Amino acid sequence: MASTALPSQYVSPTEIRTLFSNALSAMYRDEVPLYADLVALISDANEATFARRPQVKAKILETNQLERLHLERHGAIRLGTAEEMFMMARFLKLMGMVPVGYYDLAQAGLPVHATCFRTTDLDSLSQNPFRLFVSLLRLPLVAPNLRSKVAEILSRRQIFHNRVLDLVTLAEMNDGRLNQSEAAELITLGLQTFKWQSSAVVSMAEYAELHSESPLLADIVGFRGPHINHLTPRTLDIDAVQKLMQIHGFPVKDMIEGPPQRNCPILLRQTSFKALEEGVHFPSDRGLALGSHKARFGEVEERGAALTPKGRKLYDQLMQDCTRRGITSLDEEAYAAVFAAFPDDWETLRKQELAWFRYYIAEEQDLAALRQDSAGMIPNSVEECVEYGWIKYEPLVYEDFLPLSAAGIFASNLGGENANRAKMGTQLGDEFAALEAALQVTVKDEMYTYARLQEESLASCRRVLFVEVRSNDK
């Protein structure tokens, strides 16, 4: 009788994601040498953090997060049409990545909205948490006199190689599976969509017209396809990295986006070196004319705990207070004083339900000692188990993005946007529905995702302690 097991040559979505993200990182190192220098600097900063705070490394080792730290990256790419977004969603689905969250960057003066493609289960996240921030041009936000030209230019291009289209279709007909050679081909040819384009498809005059409307518009429309505009490694101490970047002469952004430095990091803090001025050839009557374009930069992130709706509401209130009072992270003392209202120890964050957590059973040797101390009696509730050490917890990493921080990074690297466009997204209708229509899949709610992960971890603890252990002890 034939075996029903999957043939060994099939490659899992997590394996494809890891191979792709590693290939993307290698490509970006070659294209942007300063990014390679940044990765090395971050590695040194993380090792210094381990040496200075050994308890941080101990916790990372205890929860099997060290490999994740070394692998962790996020990238960003900007697309022009709904058809491009749909194809990108199909391509990334083969890597186990689905759209999570909606980002209306028009609120910050950028003519795009976006979603984050990522995996959503703890096992996949621990193996490789690669995520891709994908922006889509919103044509109604482009000046009326440019819309038809922009639409016509974008209609000429196909951003994926024909063989990639064939492989995606093949996988979709085979329950999302590809064999090793097919997966390798998908990665090699798929990378072409993310490569830097040194030749524009618009004239220098057309580029200037697009750029005057919005630097982001020129970046999206001016080339035969998109390109990765940044790739972001994760650090454990972004303040140290910011200082090191300044010391080593990086053209660094002047301030860190996100919350202030804390004992218990929350959400996401980001900084970057500014976009590079790069040579581009523009078509002209006399052949090719050499000009320049500025889009690619190197970003760094420090990720903290994901916040519950209650925690996010408090965070947003404090950020609004800072905005109202004109306080930024450049004024470290005043910024920290505002955020003093946000609890800064894990137990308070947990008990006040301000952050999401993963719960897990203590190590077997610790359980044996606890059994002896309690004469074999297991506490009656999860909370008692936490109190007595039977169950431990760690914050769930924030896997998503902060719209204003993303907009701040974009603006600092593209030269800003027109002031009179600062609220251009507020007069439009349901753009979230428009993005879902482009994707042709449902965008997952990030809060639901974290709530599910926390509850799954609690359910596992309940099953082990209240069913399996008690049954074995009888």
Side-chain angles (χ1 to χ4, degrees):
M1 184 175 177
S3 171
T4 58
L6 290 178
S8 60
Q9 74 266 23
Y10 285 115
V11 184
S12 73
T14 295
E15 289 177 283
I16 297 176
R17 184 172 68 255
T18 297
L19 292 168
F20 177 76
S21 62
N22 287 343
L24 189 64
S25 183
M27 182 191 79
Y28 203 62
R29 283 171 187 256
D30 290 341
E31 292 185 346
V32 184
L34 199 56
Y35 167 74
D37 296 340
L38 178 63
V39 171
L41 186 150
I42 289 170
S43 178
D44 291 343
N46 286 343
E47 288 302 319
T49 299
F50 287 149
R52 189 175 66 255
R53 301 171 63 194
Q55 73 277 12
V56 172
K57 185 170 186 178
K59 187 67 174 180
I60 285 176
L61 290 172
E62 177 187 322
T63 54
N64 297 315
Q65 296 291 303
L66 188 60
E67 187 65 18
R68 169 184 169 136
L69 177 66
H70 294 326
L71 284 172
E72 187 152 359
R73 299 283 186 277
H74 89 249
I77 195 166
R78 302 160 185 155
L79 306 180
T81 67
E83 291 76 17
E84 292 175 0
M85 180 61 98
F86 175 54
M87 188 59 215
M88 183 63 71
R90 294 172 65 200
F91 175 71
L92 295 173
K93 186 178 180 181
L94 300 188
M95 304 178 199
M97 300 167 69
V98 296
V100 180
Y102 175 77
Y103 302 88
D104 179 10
L105 298 182
Q107 298 294 325
L110 302 170
V112 295
H113 52 182
T115 189
C116 168
F117 284 87
R118 64 177 181 86
T119 188
T120 60
D121 67 275
L122 284 176
D123 185 52
S124 292
L125 286 167
S126 67
Q127 293 181 63
N128 190 316
F130 177 67
R131 56 188 78 80
L132 191 67
F133 190 79
V134 183
S135 308
L136 176 62
L137 179 65
R138 293 164 67 174
L139 198 58
L141 299 184
V142 176
N145 63 305
L146 286 175
R147 286 177 197 165
S148 60
K149 175 183 284 189
V150 166
E152 192 277 326
I153 293 170
L154 291 173
S155 71
R156 301 178 207 156
R157 72 186 196 182
Q158 175 180 301
I159 67 171
F160 280 100
H161 191 284
N162 282 331
R163 179 57 178 160
V164 172
L165 305 182
D166 293 341
L167 287 167
V168 170
T169 301
L170 175 67
E172 290 171 342
M173 295 171 62
N174 194 29
D175 295 327
R177 298 176 299 178
L178 292 173
N179 63 33
Q180 292 178 3
S181 63
E182 292 163 347
E185 197 174 7
L186 179 84
I187 292 164
T188 299
L189 297 176
L191 277 178
Q192 294 182 9
T193 299
F194 297 79
K195 282 182 177 292
W196 169 243
Q197 312 287 332
S198 60
S199 297
V201 296
V202 297
S203 68
M204 199 173 287
E206 289 173 318
Y207 174 87
E209 186 179 28
L210 294 168
H211 193 276
S212 177
E213 168 71 7
S214 164
L216 203 68
L217 183 67
D219 185 57
I220 294 171
V221 180
F223 301 87
R224 67 176 183 271
H227 58 85
I228 195 83
N229 59 70
H230 68 268
L231 205 56
T232 305
R234 180 181 173 187
T235 182
L236 297 171
D237 188 346
I238 199 168
D239 298 275
V241 171
Q242 178 87 341
K243 291 174 184 175
L244 286 171
M245 289 170 71
Q246 294 167 343
I247 290 170
H248 288 274
F250 284 72
V252 66
K253 191 178 182 299
D254 60 353
M255 69 179 189
I256 295 171
E257 301 283 349
Q261 186 179 35
R262 294 165 44 88
N263 293 322
C264 299
I266 56 172
L267 296 175
L268 175 66
R269 304 179 72 209
Q270 296 172 292
T271 189
S272 71
F273 65 73
K274 295 182 180 179
L276 309 172
E277 194 85 31
E278 301 182 81
V280 171
H281 292 95
F282 294 88
S284 72
D285 295 339
R286 299 179 180 179
L288 294 175
L290 181 62
S292 66
H293 179 63
K294 189 164 67 171
R296 298 193 297 170
F297 55 95
E299 189 180 56
V300 187
E301 65 184 18
E302 177 185 310
R303 289 191 172 267
L307 299 184
T308 63
K310 180 181 177 182
R312 188 58 182 268
K313 181 179 180 181
L314 176 57
Y315 172 82
D316 289 343
Q317 287 172 347
L318 297 177
M319 286 299 294
Q320 289 164 9
D321 187 22
C322 288
T323 300
R324 185 173 60 254
R325 296 164 57 185
I327 298 172
T328 71
S329 62
L330 288 174
D331 188 343
E332 294 181 13
E333 187 174 340
Y335 200 48
V338 172
F339 273 86
F342 205 109
D344 198 15
D345 68 274
W346 293 126
E347 185 62 5
T348 302
L349 289 170
R350 188 184 72 85
K351 287 191 171 181
Q352 292 188 10
E353 298 183 347
L354 295 171
W356 299 109
F357 290 87
R358 179 182 80 90
Y359 293 84
Y360 58 98
I361 304 297
E363 294 290 336
E364 186 57 43
Q365 62 268 26
D366 296 329
L367 286 178
L370 287 166
R371 281 194 188 94
Q372 187 174 3
D373 291 344
S374 63
M377 298 296 293
I378 300 174
N380 292 315
S381 69
V382 167
E383 197 58 36
E384 287 184 355
C385 285
V386 171
E387 182 180 350
Y388 292 110
W390 294 75
I391 292 177
K392 296 186 177 183
Y393 61 87
E394 65 170 342
L396 285 174
V397 174
Y398 185 61
E399 305 289 349
D400 299 288
F401 298 92
L402 300 174
L404 289 180
S405 294
I409 293 285
F410 279 15
S412 68
N413 285 290
L414 290 170
E417 296 292 322
N418 298 331
N420 63 354
R421 299 170 64 82
K423 295 295 181 183
M424 61 185 176
T426 59
Q427 298 178 2
L428 294 181
D430 188 1
E431 290 302 322
F432 174 74
L435 185 69
E436 281 199 326
L439 291 162
Q440 298 187 34
V441 295
T442 300
V443 174
K444 292 182 179 293
D445 177 81
E446 67 174 65
M447 290 297 179
Y448 172 80
T449 301
Y450 295 120
R452 175 180 57 79
L453 293 178
Q454 177 172 290
E455 181 50 41
E456 285 177 355
S457 72
L458 284 168
S460 176
C461 289
R462 293 187 193 103
R463 183 176 62 253
V464 172
L465 286 181
F466 302 150
V467 178
E468 294 177 12
V469 172
R470 279 182 173 161
S471 297
N472 291 337
D473 285 346
K474 288 181 180 178

